[in-house]
């Protein structure tokens, strides 16, 4: 059966999360007067990324809720384990103001959504929260492009769990084999989607290569031809 819908990841797939996070944290640390505690800006940013990855993994595993992973990121980054919830929330919100000021879509996002609009239904499945991602998509001007928005915080399970991908298919009332999933993480997104019966597509913007078992594209401009060629995308190595 042909692909009838595309389910999308958001961060670092259609939205340039990495650049916004870097710019936002750099500005935040400058305003907070914290840069002197690190040898370089890059060292501070590396610590923030490491702390984010650690506590995001705990959230994905169900060990903490969405709000608590934010607080733990702040406490871990600052080295203040006894910081109150209120103080951690306030610090994080000050960072968010700088982060949001740097928000932008990747240049290929809207053109490809335009090309695909007439022939495919569209949805979002994110390992975040609906409150967070709905607001993001609205500010970026693309929320109305997606008929379904599902996130791990509300679902109770995260990608790469098959239940997450199947929830998106159920919301679209389509069987998994008629749905493609596009994301920037080879294992969480592409391999997870494949294992759940969807057509997983790894968006490898950095050109890392490898992983010949996965269907890989290096830019969204390659997606329309891939989908319209169909036959379950043929040999993955064509795109690798």
């Amino acid at each position: 059966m042909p692909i009838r819908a595309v389910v999308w990841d958001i961060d670092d797939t259609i939205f340039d999360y990495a650049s916004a996070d870097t710019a936002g944290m750099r500005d935040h640390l400058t305003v907070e007067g914290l840069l002197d505690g690190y040898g370089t800006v890059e060292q501070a940013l590396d610590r923030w990324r490491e702390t984010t990855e650690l506590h995001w993994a705990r959230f994905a595993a169900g060990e903490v809720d969405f709000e608590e992973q934010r607080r733990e990121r702040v406490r871990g980054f600052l080295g203040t384990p006894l910081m109150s919830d209120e103080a951690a929330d306030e610090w994080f919100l000050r960072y968010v103001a700088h982060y949001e000021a740097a928000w932008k879509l990747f240049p290929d996002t809207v053109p490809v959504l335009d090309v695909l609009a007439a022939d495919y239904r569209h949805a979002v499945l994110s390992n975040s929260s609906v409150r967070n991602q709905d607001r993001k998509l609205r500010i970026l001007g693309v929320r109305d492009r997606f008929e379904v928005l599902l996130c791990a915080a509300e679902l109770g399970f995260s990608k790469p769990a098959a239940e997450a991908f199947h929830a998106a298919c159920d919301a679209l009332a389509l069987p998994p084999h008629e749905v493609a999933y596009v994301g920037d993480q080879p294992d969480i997104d592409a391999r997870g989607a494949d294992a759940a019966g969807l057509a997983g597509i790894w968006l490898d913007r950095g050109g890392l290569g490898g992983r010949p078992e996965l269907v890989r594209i290096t830019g969204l401009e390659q997606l329309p031809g891939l989908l319209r060629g169909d036959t379950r995308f043929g040999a993955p190595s064509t795109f690798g």
Side-chain angles (χ1 to χ4, degrees):
M1 295 292 291
I3 297 298
R4 297 175 60 190
V6 181
V7 180
W8 300 80
D9 176 51
I10 297 179
D11 296 342
D12 286 326
T13 296
I14 63 173
F15 160 66
D16 191 353
Y17 169 80
S19 294
D21 184 48
T22 297
M25 184 52 67
R26 180 184 290 111
D27 291 346
H28 178 54
L29 294 177
T30 300
V31 171
E32 297 281 313
L34 294 173
L35 281 179
D36 290 344
Y38 298 91
T40 64
V41 173
E42 288 69 27
Q43 288 176 346
L45 294 174
D46 285 345
R47 179 174 174 83
W48 176 247
R49 293 189 194 101
E50 290 168 3
T51 306
T52 297
E53 289 174 4
L54 171 64
H55 294 291
W56 193 261
R58 295 181 63 215
F59 164 68
E63 297 176 13
V64 295
D65 64 22
F66 187 76
E67 297 300 330
E68 190 60 23
Q69 63 83 21
R70 285 183 163 187
R71 294 167 185 148
E72 289 301 307
R73 285 160 65 187
V74 174
R75 292 173 180 131
F77 177 74
L78 296 177
T80 54
L82 300 181
M83 174 183 275
S84 69
D85 288 355
E86 293 77 10
D89 289 342
E90 290 171 2
W91 194 95
F92 195 89
L93 288 175
R94 294 195 298 274
Y95 151 69
V96 166
H98 296 288
Y99 163 60
E100 291 185 357
W103 279 3
K104 61 182 179 180
L105 296 168
F106 284 105
D108 54 6
T109 297
V110 171
V112 170
L113 287 173
D114 285 344
V115 169
L116 298 177
D119 298 322
Y120 301 93
R121 298 168 64 192
H122 297 273
V124 164
L125 173 63
S126 168
N127 274 0
S128 182
S129 73
V130 168
R131 183 184 70 178
N132 203 46
Q133 300 295 51
D134 181 80
R135 181 170 179 274
K136 181 184 293 177
L137 293 174
R138 291 184 188 281
I139 289 175
L140 293 170
V142 292
R143 177 62 184 89
D144 61 346
R145 303 294 190 114
F146 308 100
E147 61 182 274
V148 172
L149 169 59
L150 297 176
C151 292
E154 292 74 25
L155 288 173
F157 31 76
S158 306
K159 300 176 296 179
E163 293 92 337
F165 295 102
H166 290 163
C169 296
D170 291 345
L172 292 165
L174 292 173
H177 64 268
E178 293 184 4
V179 179
Y181 189 86
V182 181
D184 68 294
Q185 296 294 318
D187 291 314
I188 292 173
D189 293 326
R191 191 175 73 168
D194 282 341
L198 291 75
I201 301 170
W202 175 27
L203 176 58
D204 179 18
R205 289 189 180 277
L208 296 176
R211 306 301 298 271
E213 77 279 13
L214 300 177
V215 173
R216 182 176 75 98
I217 58 176
T218 56
L220 290 181
E221 70 279 356
Q222 298 168 7
L223 185 60
L226 179 64
L227 293 173
R228 288 167 180 162
D230 219 308
T231 64
R232 197 64 175 195
F233 307 146
S237 60
T238 301
F239 305 96

